[in-house]
Amino acid sequence: MKKILLMALLLSSITYAQTTQYIKIGANQHKIEENTGTGIAIGWGVTKTTQNNLLLGVDFNLDYASDIEGKSFSAYSGDVKLGYAFFNQKLGVYAIGSAMQQSYVNTGYGFGYGGGVSYKLLDSLSIICEYKTYSMTNTASTYDYDSLGGYLQYNF
């Protein structure tokens, strides 16, 4: 009975959630093993914030850097976000689960995790900071990849 009540509460919270679609653009600091570089990123996503301030989201990103130790880097990733909204839903703090495919010397695939903070400057404009770390695999090796990004987000 408790499980049914919990599911009903969760479903009713999501039903009455505020849904926000957005596009974002920003800059990332990339680290692949010991090699670092700066690049640009664009993304699109959807976030739901429930009446009890639970934050749920899905994000799709494209990253590009032209020079990491003389090599170019490109990647696309999908993120799932779960967190909480504070201060009248202006400040969001969330955990990230992510999957990525990247091209740097060889094509690599991997899963990662991280965290982020978003702040609504206006209803249609937010700033975001996110950190993600991945365990990547390609045909030649396994390696670590880290990303720290700052974004400007336009909310629809």
Side-chain angles (χ1 to χ4, degrees), residues 113-156:
Y113 60 91
V117 176
S118 65
Y119 183 75
K120 279 188 180 178
L121 300 170
L122 305 167
D123 284 339
S124 61
L125 192 64
S126 301
I127 56 173
I128 300 169
C129 182
E130 292 180 345
Y131 172 78
K132 295 182 247 180
T133 184
Y134 295 86
S135 178
M136 303 296 291
T137 303
N138 64 25
T139 55
S141 66
T142 60
Y143 57 96
D144 294 328
Y145 166 74
D146 298 306
S147 173
L148 177 64
Y151 306 93
L152 188 60
Q153 174 177 296
Y154 177 75
N155 306 311
F156 297 98

Side-chain angles (χ1 to χ4, degrees), residues 11-71:
L11 287 174
S12 67
S13 294
I14 292 172
T15 303
Y16 295 103
Q18 175 188 352
T19 302
T20 304
Q21 290 189 47
Y22 54 85
I23 56 173
K24 64 183 183 178
I25 188 166
N28 283 354
Q29 179 69 32
H30 305 278
K31 182 178 179 189
I32 300 173
E33 294 180 324
E34 298 304 316
N35 304 324
T36 61
T38 303
I40 60 171
I42 59 171
W44 171 85
V46 177
T47 300
K48 281 186 169 260
T49 308
T50 64
Q51 285 181 330
N52 57 358
N53 295 328
L54 183 65
L55 188 143
L56 307 163
V58 176
D59 217 38
F60 301 96
N61 305 296
L62 298 170
D63 297 302
Y64 177 77
S66 61
D67 188 23
I68 299 178
E69 299 296 314
K71 301 172 188 110

